[in-house]
Amino acid sequence: MIRSDNLPKINCVHVSKIEAGVVLANLGKLLEIEERNDCYALIISRMNEKQVFKFEKDTILITV
């Protein structure tokens, strides 16, 4: 069982303000960000692989 004093700090961040190096909740460490016309493409290190996740421009992300 997780103790409440061991929980990571949770932050809500607009996708346009996210920075490389943060850890996205349940996804992994953010390596790169690419702004496209219709979305943001985030390259995340997950399970020792680089994976691309696309988010609409009005998305709020949760970081830990």
Side-chain angles (χ1 to χ4, degrees), residues 10-43:
I10 296 173
N11 297 303
C12 296
V13 182
H14 191 275
V15 69
S16 66
K17 304 292 184 196
I18 202 86
E19 296 179 3
V22 300
V23 176
L24 297 173
N26 294 332
L27 291 179
K29 184 176 181 180
L30 178 59
L31 302 175
E32 300 174 42
I33 308 153
E34 179 182 324
E35 183 175 5
R36 299 181 179 174
N37 288 337
D38 61 338
C39 68
Y40 285 92
L42 280 56
I43 295 107

